[in-house]
Amino acid sequence: MGLDALFSPRAVAVVGASNRELTIGYRIIENLLEFGYQGPIYPVNPKGGEIRGLKAYPSILETPEPVDVAHIVIRNKYVPACIADCAKKGVKAVIVNTAGFREIGDEGAALEDELIAVAKQTGIRVFGPNCQGVINSDPEVRAYCNFTFTRPTRGHISIVAQSGGVGEVIHQRITELGVGVRKYASNGNACDVSIPEIIEHYGADEQTKVIAVHIESLPDPRRFLEIASEVCRRKPILAMKVGRTAEGAKAVSSHTGGLVKQDTAIELIFEKAGIVAFRNIEELCQSAIGFASQPVPAGNRVGMIANTGGPAIIATDELIEGGMVMPPLSKPTEALLREKLLPEASINNPIDVLATAGPEHFAAAINALLDDDGIDAIFLNFVTPFFVDTLGVAREIAEANRRSQKPIVATVMTEKQGWAETLKVIRDSGVPAYDMPDTGAKVLAAMGRYAAFLKRPTEQPTSYKGLDASRARSVITTARQAGKTLLSAADGFDLCTCYGITVAPYASAANVDECVAAGDKLGYPLVLKVDAESIVHKTDSGGVVLDVRDRDSLRQHAETMATKFAEASPAFLVQQQLSGGLELIVGAKAVEGLGHIVMFGLGGIYVEVLEDVSFKITPVTRREAREMIESLQAAPLLTGVRGQAGVDLAALTEIIQRLSQVLIDHPEIRELDLNPVFAFEQGAKVADVRVMV
Amino acid sequence: MGLDALFSPRAVAVVGASNRELTIGYRIIENLLEFGYQGPIYPVNPKGGEIRGLKAYPSILETPEPVDVAHIVIRNKYVPACIADCAKKGVKAVIVNTAGFREIGDEGAALEDELIAVAKQTGIRVFGPNCQGVINSDPEVRAYCNFTFTRPTRGHISIVAQSGGVGEVIHQRITELGVGVRKYASNGNACDVSIPEIIEHYGADEQTKVIAVHIESLPDPRRFLEIASEVCRRKPILAMKVGRTAEGAKAVSSHTGGLVKQDTAIELIFEKAGIVAFRNIEELCQSAIGFASQPVPAGNRVGMIANTGGPAIIATDELIEGGMVMPPLSKPTEALLREKLLPEASINNPIDVLATAGPEHFAAAINALLDDDGIDAIFLNFVTPFFVDTLGVAREIAEANRRSQKPIVATVMTEKQGWAETLKVIRDSGVPAYDMPDTGAKVLAAMGRYAAFLKRPTEQPTSYKGLDASRARSVITTARQAGKTLLSAADGFDLCTCYGITVAPYASAANVDECVAAGDKLGYPLVLKVDAESIVHKTDSGGVVLDVRDRDSLRQHAETMATKFAEASPAFLVQQQLSGGLELIVGAKAVEGLGHIVMFGLGGIYVEVLEDVSFKITPVTRREAREMIESLQAAPLLTGVRGQAGVDLAALTEIIQRLSQVLIDHPEIRELDLNPVFAFEQGAKVADVRVMV
């Protein structure tokens, strides 16, 4: 079942309704009435009587049919039984506003589990507990199933927030800016109805043009990723990045009751899904307004028009830093502008039409940019001089917007009482009019980020032939059956080989003689490694000897090691020594409920000191593998710099993708490091592997 | 003369006053009247008569004494003569609103030079041309000498803006937020009265508590730096960083008429002066409000109080990213809170007093933080639940603020009509109440940045003994007299030696035999370099041989070079070869009107690929030199990492400071590179020098 009944209920009951004004049981009824809810409202209170002029029923079971949504605002311990009653009654969804569940500790968590059990048994949907509720501003519904204070006007922005406080701030701000909201939901502990499900509902809602999301943690990250990925292709999802700092993450964990710390994962999920991420609520709200009223640009090329220079510079900085470009104007556009603008006007990008420019000049500039194929979006910086027919300018902006397929974003710098009509004409036309050049520029840059996502081709992970997944499975299974959590080096290399990841030629050896035999076969110089699970820091403890140049020293080192590690009764690994390439690291880590996060970076100080690494979530596609390489600060060392040729990027891209396939096929892998990988002008080889299961 | 007469004129004349409403000559008179200017206003118009009910005078010379300020709004070509008349009349300052000067090209520039000449001759001060003007909201003055539309209320923020458009946006936004402005100035082409001078005036104005600055370019950067440095010690200066991107810088240059590109320099000037820099006008405005109403924190330790979790997380992220810390609460504070807050309240930092917390709980939390010596500033996240006595909470906030020496910054998330009284009580108390948690947090972080500056001890550049500045001067003078712009390597090393900068032992040699003799003296291995101004890329053209191991090969290489570069009739330089240290670069570049910018970084890919370099303006003090080293991403390589000892930071700090002294003493140096410098565990030595004069 979808969430239609929740957002568009035929009738709403409030169990725990009250005549005391400062209670939630009163407030919800008041909100429903004031907002003009289109269905019947049934207060439920054991005492019966009247509540705010409505007949109150002693029990949910006695309310008239049908009730789609019931608020529950009674004490926490009575909630499970109440939900069971609601289910009996045929209620489709309950909104449990009552707090005192998982957020207060073990006792509350047990109570919450009871809610979930009732929901599973009966099929009733539970929204919350410890939540605000939902709002639907559809004129045929007007459901204000919430105890908050913001009264939305009709609009195209839908909001879902894990934190009711943040949801309310977003809702309030958008409303304060005079823009409408379509639907609102804040589901508190989210024991049943989940944020991904709400996003899915918004995705299917035709009147929702943009979705604003606030999340702090993701109980089911893979589902969120899948739904968000699907919805983002059709409409923009804007979301806040929270818990970015260690302190912020700690506050999240304390606030949400100790869920898995997922801050890096959340950023990567946003990126993979195509969500437009924000670090700032104000920007998110302002951008939602832009997205709701203007088309997405076809690309990132902005043409700017200004009637004063300073704000244009500020907007230019912000646009460029936000990933947009401001190309030179085409010759025909230049010629047209030279003819139609004031003689002193600056015919560049930004176009300065001058403070004295009137409606005809603005019209000429806007139309020239609308007709210029080299421009994807128009940014207007309009200060309202008292000596200019600003209303005429506004009308030209509105007229241009009517015929425009390109987004037009405006900054209107004015005194809002004196120029109210001018502002109104622009805003009513659907052109968002921001107070500040940097605000408007940030919005347009956010639209550009979404445009770039839409242009990104959907790409399936590369499907490699000739992989031996079953052999790999048996390597892992055998190791696990032997009680190992860390695979032997030989098993690790074996795993790589099963997936076509090239490793430096090697041989396992059970004893010194086998080492020598392997050495003769592989040729020198060699690396000799001890291979035993119990020896974790091989290098530090003398379990690795590099640059073994001949048979005698091989035998000698092997004997020393055999003696040294006798207690661990170790095996050995003899491997060709690689040299001359660039040392890289490709790693992976499992994230509960999501899959794996793959890491890529240059070895040594690049990882340890400069922290110059990149991440993606599995499955990693070819484009994503390429991005992992190219997004490093040190990428020029890989692509070639200072007259050097660079390394084999195709080989690296392939290693990353093949590793991704290993992880997809073997979700029981907890950590996997290919470290180092040697990359050469031709090819790349893995020199060491560490696999934890 | 200061700018007192400009900002507090005893009488204002408007030359070019008009009865036509849409003219600047009408508008200024209207603005003066409407704002309630406390002195007489004299319209000047050749036709005489009345303008907006005031007697108009045919000439400035016929207006009654004394006139301190005269606006000039007549055609550009008549302006110089008009200023001369004003001077004759005894006017102290003219505000030239008229445009058509330097901003339109050569012809206008010539006209502007005439203005400057009149000012110099007569001592009259010229504000503008091509400018808005000034405003002073002092109730005893109320001078609105400007044609814009924002009517300030009385306050403590003073604004100066190079761009009138941006100035107006700032002024408008602060006013719209209900906060007062003290003085305003936008001086357009700034041919005489300059922004540094205005900042100096604001600095001396007791009622100005914070200065908001917008600049795009600096005609006299050293003066700006000196004045701003002095003022910042007494009151905060907030400024926008504009022209950050190449496109933005291009727009600046097109807007301001092609002044020197100084974007990097401007950032460094802000940093050295102690200016609090912003990338966003909204943040600048909101921060100005915070600075104007609250004390500067003693440090960066924030205690946060919230009654809902989500916004607290957002604020926490923002504070931490902004350089603040949120320490754990002290044991006594914890105990106190446990006693006084609701039982389920979260006693951490942030403190969650819960949505149901009333006035007594907020009071307890605020007072506990005020009394905690481990907390420098208080951040409140207050959502106004309908079931709470929010007005009572507001009164407690106001009361706490009255006794507080620490800044209190609040985010009040509410519906502004319904909770108008609550908001008013908080704001009237002087606690800024922001709409958004991230906005409030950014403001407090900005206050923290200023606090850090105030704690920074003022430090004189290190004064080194035993420098031989006069010998260095003669090296440079001799080279210049010989027509050289690039000093020979020997001269470069000589310069270093004069300033006690250790260079790798070397000797100059005029020919092959001298090379060999020098080699015998210095010992092997050696580096042999050709030394001739005409050979620019020595290394590429075979003019440098590294690792010369003995006398025979030295002779052989020297002979080869002598033949190869015979045409340049070169000298040679023989130098001990350094090895085993870290390769660094210390460079410097002259910036017109400012001094030099010194650069520091690790060599090779760190500079070329990672662009990991730091900059400071001369003179570079010990602390600044230290910061240059520590601010590198790769700093751990210098300070020691992975069990390695690091290099001699004291020696590096000294090289940077001694280089700074070279540049201070010899401003004619255009570029100077010590590249590479080899840093060792003990000491550091320069291996190559390049000096352009």
Side-chain angles (χ1 to χ4, degrees):
Chain A
M1 181 198 104
L3 300 179
D4 290 347
L6 175 67
F7 280 97
S8 304
R10 284 168 296 171
V12 176
V14 180
V15 183
S18 165
N19 264 319
R20 281 176 298 132
E21 290 198 11
L22 294 187
T23 61
I24 289 177
Y26 177 89
R27 181 79 177 191
I28 290 170
I29 290 173
E30 188 180 60
N31 279 348
L32 282 162
L33 288 170
E34 278 191 0
F35 196 59
Y37 173 51
Q38 297 290 296
I41 306 165
Y42 304 127
V44 176
N45 187 304
K47 293 179 202 146
E50 272 201 359
I51 288 175
R52 222 183 165 297
L54 299 171
K55 174 176 162 45
Y57 298 84
S59 148
I60 181 75
L61 293 168
E62 294 173 47
T63 55
E65 285 274 13
V67 173
D68 282 346
V69 165
H71 279 274
I72 301 183
V73 297
I74 58 177
R75 276 185 63 190
N76 59 351
K77 62 178 175 179
Y78 302 124
V79 171
C82 178
I83 297 179
D85 279 353
C86 288
K88 200 189 272 178
K89 160 75 189 174
V91 171
K92 300 283 198 300
V94 290
I95 298 174
V96 184
N97 301 102
T98 305
F101 293 90
R102 198 171 303 281
E103 80 281 6
I104 61 160
D106 291 345
E107 202 183 326
L111 211 52
E112 192 166 314
D113 288 340
E114 284 186 51
L115 267 53
I116 298 170
V118 178
K120 275 206 182 136
Q121 252 167 33
T122 62
I124 197 171
R125 301 304 309 271
V126 179
F127 189 92
N130 182 29
C131 75
Q132 284 180 348
V134 304
I135 303 171
N136 183 356
S137 76
D138 186 323
E140 291 181 13
V141 182
R142 300 196 65 78
Y144 202 106
C145 298
N146 197 338
F147 57 81
T148 52
F149 41 62
T150 305
R151 299 283 179 274
T153 54
R154 203 174 160 183
H156 301 291
I157 301 169
S158 289
I159 301 165
V160 55
Q162 183 168 356
S163 155
V166 176
E168 180 67 1
V169 169
I170 294 172
H171 191 189
Q172 175 62 22
R173 182 64 178 148
I174 291 173
T175 303
E176 196 178 270
L177 289 166
V179 174
V181 164
R182 168 77 177 168
K183 291 181 180 179
Y184 175 92
S186 181
N187 61 342
N189 294 9
C191 81
D192 175 22
V193 174
S194 68
I195 287 182
E197 202 176 355
I198 295 165
I199 292 174
E200 194 171 35
H201 174 81
Y202 290 170
D205 174 31
E206 215 172 278
Q207 288 297 307
T208 294
K209 291 196 185 161
V210 46
I211 302 172
V213 175
H214 167 264
I215 49 166
E216 292 168 348
S217 57
L218 287 172
D220 187 352
R222 179 54 64 176
R223 180 145 186 245
F224 179 91
L225 173 59
E226 282 167 2
I227 289 178
S229 300
E230 193 276 318
V231 171
C232 280
R233 286 274 151 206
R234 289 180 288 117
K235 57 183 78 171
I237 299 178
L238 319 186
M240 275 291 288
K241 279 187 196 171
V242 306
R244 305 187 298 264
T245 61
E247 288 82 349
K250 201 180 123 215
V252 166
S253 132
S254 127
H255 177 221
T256 57
L259 294 175
V260 186
K261 195 194 138 189
Q262 289 167 325
D263 44 329
T264 316
I266 287 182
E267 280 203 39
L268 295 173
I269 290 169
F270 284 2
E271 197 259 327
K272 196 171 182 94
I275 288 173
V276 188
F278 293 84
R279 305 170 74 84
N280 184 291
I281 308 181
E282 177 76 14
E283 282 172 34
L284 183 149
C285 294
Q286 301 280 13
S287 296
I289 292 169
F291 274 107
S293 56
Q294 287 290 315
V296 175
N300 66 346
R301 299 166 304 173
V302 180
M304 190 185 293
I305 300 166
N307 64 345
T308 175
I313 292 164
I314 291 172
T316 298
D317 274 342
E318 203 62 59
L319 283 169
I320 300 298
E321 288 181 346
M324 307 302 275
V325 297
M326 290 182 52
L329 302 174
S330 69
K331 292 293 158 209
T333 298
E334 275 190 6
L336 192 68
L337 291 173
R338 225 179 297 284
E339 180 194 328
K340 299 213 165 172
L341 297 187
L342 293 168
E344 299 84 7
S346 166
I347 316 288
N348 293 304
N349 190 7
I351 303 166
D352 189 345
V353 294
L354 302 182
T356 43
E360 68 280 21
H361 305 111
F362 274 92
I366 301 173
N367 288 326
L369 294 182
L370 285 180
D371 293 339
D372 187 330
D373 287 341
I375 296 295
D376 300 312
I378 295 172
F379 191 90
L380 280 172
N381 266 304
F382 179 34
V383 176
T384 56
F386 69 87
F387 44 77
V388 163
D389 172 11
T390 60
L391 194 55
V393 173
R395 289 194 182 115
E396 291 294 350
I397 294 171
E399 179 53 33
N401 185 56
R402 219 159 287 139
R403 75 176 193 92
S404 170
Q405 305 295 313
K406 301 176 183 176
I408 303 179
V409 169
T411 302
V412 181
M413 291 157 281
T414 191
E415 192 278 307
K416 285 172 189 155
Q417 266 87 57
W419 276 264
E421 186 63 16
T422 296
L423 260 179
K424 187 173 153 45
V425 168
I426 296 174
R427 288 192 169 142
D428 284 355
S429 80
V431 172
Y434 296 100
D435 291 357
M436 303 270 171
D438 29 18
T439 308
K442 274 177 201 284
V443 171
L444 187 51
M447 294 173 77
R449 294 208 298 280
Y450 182 61
F453 160 73
L454 288 182
K455 281 170 91 169
R456 202 163 93 181
T458 47
E459 189 194 26
Q460 292 306 311
T462 308
S463 163
Y464 290 101
K465 300 253 184 300
L467 308 186
D468 197 345
S470 63
R471 190 169 131 67
R473 176 154 315 284
S474 94
V475 167
I476 294 173
T477 310
T478 308
R480 291 181 83 179
Q481 279 165 354
K484 290 186 185 172
T485 54
L486 179 67
L487 262 56
S488 71
D491 283 352
F493 284 124
D494 212 1
L495 198 62
C496 288
T497 309
C498 291
Y499 279 82
I501 297 170
T502 312
V503 305
Y506 72 97
S508 293
N511 52 46
V512 173
D513 286 338
E514 283 188 30
C515 283
V516 173
D520 286 348
K521 213 167 125 193
L522 292 165
Y524 297 86
L526 286 171
V527 182
L528 172 68
K529 299 174 189 172
V530 70
D531 191 8
E533 194 194 11
S534 58
I535 308 164
V536 179
H537 298 290
K538 285 184 295 196
T539 308
D540 296 346
S541 59
V544 178
V545 183
L546 299 172
D547 209 19
V548 180
R549 300 233 155 218
D550 51 41
R551 183 192 285 187
D552 286 350
S553 41
L554 178 58
R555 175 174 297 277
Q556 192 183 324
H557 285 300
E559 277 166 358
T560 311
M561 259 186 214
T563 313
K564 186 172 204 168
F565 298 108
E567 231 172 275
S569 45
F572 300 93
L573 201 122
V574 183
Q575 190 169 30
Q576 274 186 10
Q577 173 151 323
L578 302 175
S579 65
L582 260 178
E583 277 190 50
L584 308 171
I585 299 180
V586 188
K589 204 169 183 159
V591 175
E592 181 69 26
L594 178 66
H596 291 83
I597 292 180
V598 179
M599 187 204 85
F600 178 79
L602 276 86
I605 55 144
Y606 292 95
V607 168
E608 292 170 31
V609 177
L610 304 174
E611 295 175 7
D612 184 19
V613 289
S614 57
F615 299 93
K616 293 281 178 192
I617 296 167
T618 53
V620 182
T621 66
R622 185 183 305 273
R623 175 186 54 72
E624 288 176 322
R626 228 14 221 244
E627 279 176 17
M628 291 183 81
I629 298 169
E630 286 162 3
S631 65
L632 294 182
Q633 276 186 283
L637 297 183
L638 297 168
T639 54
V641 71
R642 305 174 86 193
Q644 287 177 8
V647 300
D648 189 337
L649 300 182
L652 292 180
T653 324
E654 203 173 309
I655 288 181
I656 294 170
Q657 290 176 92
R658 287 178 182 271
L659 174 67
S660 163
Q661 191 61 50
V662 173
L663 300 161
I664 294 287
D665 291 349
H666 308 286
E668 64 273 39
I669 294 175
R670 283 178 43 223
E671 287 181 28
L672 198 163
D673 287 310
L674 310 179
N675 178 17
V677 175
F678 281 84
F680 305 95
E681 264 185 59
Q682 297 292 330
K685 285 177 186 169
V686 175
D688 205 357
V689 184
R690 191 175 144 275
V691 185
M692 292 194 62
V693 288
Chain B
M1 180 200 104
L3 300 179
D4 289 346
L6 174 66
F7 281 96
S8 303
R10 284 167 297 172
V12 175
V14 179
V15 182
S18 164
N19 264 318
R20 282 176 297 129
E21 291 198 11
L22 296 187
T23 61
I24 290 177
Y26 176 88
R27 180 81 176 189
I28 290 170
I29 290 174
E30 187 180 59
N31 280 348
L32 282 162
L33 288 169
E34 279 190 358
F35 196 58
Y37 173 52
Q38 297 291 296
I41 306 166
Y42 305 127
V44 175
N45 186 304
K47 294 180 201 145
E50 272 201 358
I51 289 178
R52 223 185 164 294
L54 300 170
K55 174 176 164 45
Y57 299 83
S59 147
I60 183 74
L61 294 168
E62 295 173 45
T63 55
E65 285 274 13
V67 173
D68 281 346
V69 166
H71 278 274
I72 301 184
V73 297
I74 59 176
R75 276 186 61 189
N76 59 351
K77 62 179 176 179
Y78 303 123
V79 172
C82 179
I83 297 179
D85 278 354
C86 287
K88 199 190 273 178
K89 159 75 189 174
V91 170
K92 301 282 197 302
V94 290
I95 297 175
V96 183
N97 302 100
T98 305
F101 292 90
R102 198 170 304 279
E103 79 280 7
I104 61 160
D106 291 345
E107 202 183 326
L111 211 52
E112 192 166 314
D113 289 339
E114 284 186 51
L115 267 54
I116 298 169
V118 177
K120 277 208 179 134
Q121 251 167 36
T122 63
I124 197 171
R125 301 304 308 270
V126 179
F127 188 91
N130 181 30
C131 76
Q132 284 179 351
V134 303
I135 304 171
N136 182 356
S137 75
D138 186 323
E140 291 181 14
V141 182
R142 299 196 66 80
Y144 201 108
C145 298
N146 197 337
F147 56 82
T148 53
F149 42 62
T150 304
R151 299 286 178 271
T153 54
R154 203 174 161 185
H156 301 291
I157 302 168
S158 289
I159 301 165
V160 55
Q162 184 167 355
S163 155
V166 176
E168 180 67 0
V169 169
I170 294 173
H171 191 190
Q172 174 63 23
R173 183 65 179 145
I174 291 173
T175 304
E176 195 177 271
L177 289 166
V179 174
V181 165
R182 168 78 177 167
K183 291 180 179 180
Y184 175 93
S186 180
N187 62 343
N189 293 9
C191 81
D192 175 21
V193 174
S194 68
I195 286 182
E197 202 175 357
I198 295 165
I199 292 174
E200 193 171 36
H201 174 80
Y202 290 169
D205 174 30
E206 216 173 277
Q207 288 296 308
T208 294
K209 291 195 185 161
V210 45
I211 302 172
V213 175
H214 167 265
I215 50 165
E216 291 168 348
S217 57
L218 288 172
D220 187 351
R222 179 53 66 176
R223 181 147 186 244
F224 179 91
L225 174 59
E226 282 167 2
I227 289 178
S229 300
E230 194 276 319
V231 172
C232 280
R233 285 273 150 206
R234 289 180 288 117
K235 56 182 81 172
I237 299 179
L238 318 186
M240 274 290 289
K241 280 187 195 170
V242 305
R244 305 186 297 264
T245 62
E247 289 82 351
K250 201 180 122 212
V252 167
S253 130
S254 126
H255 177 219
T256 57
L259 295 175
V260 185
K261 194 193 138 187
Q262 288 167 325
D263 43 328
T264 315
I266 286 182
E267 280 203 40
L268 296 173
I269 289 169
F270 284 2
E271 197 259 325
K272 196 172 182 93
I275 288 174
V276 188
F278 293 85
R279 305 170 74 86
N280 183 293
I281 307 179
E282 176 75 14
E283 283 172 34
L284 183 150
C285 294
Q286 300 280 12
S287 297
I289 292 169
F291 275 107
S293 56
Q294 287 291 315
V296 176
N300 67 345
R301 299 167 303 173
V302 181
M304 190 185 294
I305 300 166
N307 63 346
T308 174
I313 293 165
I314 291 172
T316 298
D317 274 341
E318 203 62 58
L319 284 169
I320 301 297
E321 288 180 346
M324 306 303 274
V325 297
M326 290 181 51
L329 302 174
S330 69
K331 292 294 159 210
T333 298
E334 274 190 7
L336 193 68
L337 291 173
R338 224 180 296 283
E339 180 194 328
K340 299 213 166 174
L341 297 187
L342 293 168
E344 298 83 9
S346 166
I347 316 288
N348 293 303
N349 191 6
I351 303 166
D352 188 345
V353 294
L354 301 183
T356 42
E360 68 279 23
H361 306 111
F362 273 92
I366 301 173
N367 288 326
L369 294 182
L370 285 180
D371 293 338
D372 187 329
D373 287 342
I375 297 294
D376 300 312
I378 296 173
F379 190 89
L380 281 172
N381 266 303
F382 180 33
V383 175
T384 55
F386 69 88
F387 44 77
V388 164
D389 172 13
T390 60
L391 194 55
V393 172
R395 289 194 182 114
E396 291 294 350
I397 295 171
E399 179 52 34
N401 186 57
R402 218 158 288 140
R403 74 176 193 93
S404 172
Q405 305 296 313
K406 301 176 183 176
I408 303 179
V409 169
T411 301
V412 181
M413 292 158 280
T414 192
E415 191 279 308
K416 285 172 189 155
Q417 266 87 56
W419 277 262
E421 185 64 16
T422 296
L423 260 177
K424 187 172 154 47
V425 168
I426 297 174
R427 288 192 167 140
D428 284 356
S429 80
V431 172
Y434 297 100
D435 292 356
M436 302 271 170
D438 29 17
T439 308
K442 274 177 200 283
V443 171
L444 187 51
M447 294 172 77
R449 294 209 297 279
Y450 182 60
F453 160 73
L454 288 182
K455 282 170 90 171
R456 202 163 94 180
T458 47
E459 188 195 28
Q460 292 306 311
T462 307
S463 163
Y464 291 100
K465 302 253 183 302
L467 308 187
D468 197 345
S470 64
R471 191 169 131 65
R473 175 152 317 283
S474 95
V475 167
I476 294 173
T477 312
T478 309
R480 291 181 83 178
Q481 280 166 352
K484 289 185 187 174
T485 56
L486 179 69
L487 262 57
S488 72
D491 283 352
F493 284 123
D494 212 1
L495 199 61
C496 288
T497 310
C498 291
Y499 279 82
I501 297 170
T502 313
V503 306
Y506 70 96
S508 293
N511 52 45
V512 174
D513 287 338
E514 282 187 31
C515 285
V516 173
D520 287 348
K521 212 168 126 194
L522 291 166
Y524 297 85
L526 286 171
V527 182
L528 172 68
K529 299 174 189 172
V530 71
D531 191 9
E533 192 193 12
S534 59
I535 307 165
V536 179
H537 298 289
K538 284 184 294 195
T539 308
D540 297 345
S541 59
V544 178
V545 182
L546 299 172
D547 208 20
V548 180
R549 301 232 154 217
D550 52 41
R551 182 194 285 185
D552 284 351
S553 41
L554 177 59
R555 176 175 295 279
Q556 191 184 325
H557 286 300
E559 277 168 357
T560 311
M561 261 186 211
T563 313
K564 187 171 200 168
F565 299 108
E567 231 172 274
S569 43
F572 300 92
L573 201 121
V574 182
Q575 190 168 29
Q576 274 186 9
Q577 173 151 321
L578 302 174
S579 66
L582 260 177
E583 277 191 50
L584 308 170
I585 299 180
V586 189
K589 203 166 183 159
V591 174
E592 182 69 28
L594 178 66
H596 292 82
I597 291 180
V598 179
M599 185 203 85
F600 177 78
L602 276 86
I605 55 143
Y606 293 95
V607 168
E608 290 170 32
V609 176
L610 303 174
E611 294 174 9
D612 184 20
V613 290
S614 57
F615 299 93
K616 294 279 179 193
I617 297 167
T618 53
V620 182
T621 66
R622 185 182 306 273
R623 174 186 55 73
E624 288 176 323
R626 233 3 225 250
E627 280 176 15
M628 291 184 80
I629 297 169
E630 287 163 3
S631 65
L632 294 184
Q633 275 185 283
L637 297 182
L638 298 168
T639 55
V641 73
R642 303 174 87 194
Q644 287 178 10
V647 300
D648 189 339
L649 301 182
L652 293 181
T653 325
E654 201 174 309
I655 288 181
I656 294 170
Q657 291 176 89
R658 287 178 183 270
L659 174 68
S660 164
Q661 191 61 49
V662 173
L663 300 163
I664 295 287
D665 291 349
H666 308 287
E668 64 273 40
I669 293 176
R670 282 179 43 225
E671 288 180 27
L672 197 162
D673 287 310
L674 311 179
N675 178 15
V677 176
F678 281 84
F680 305 94
E681 266 185 60
Q682 296 292 330
K685 285 177 185 168
V686 175
D688 206 356
V689 185
R690 192 175 144 276
V691 185
M692 293 194 62
V693 289

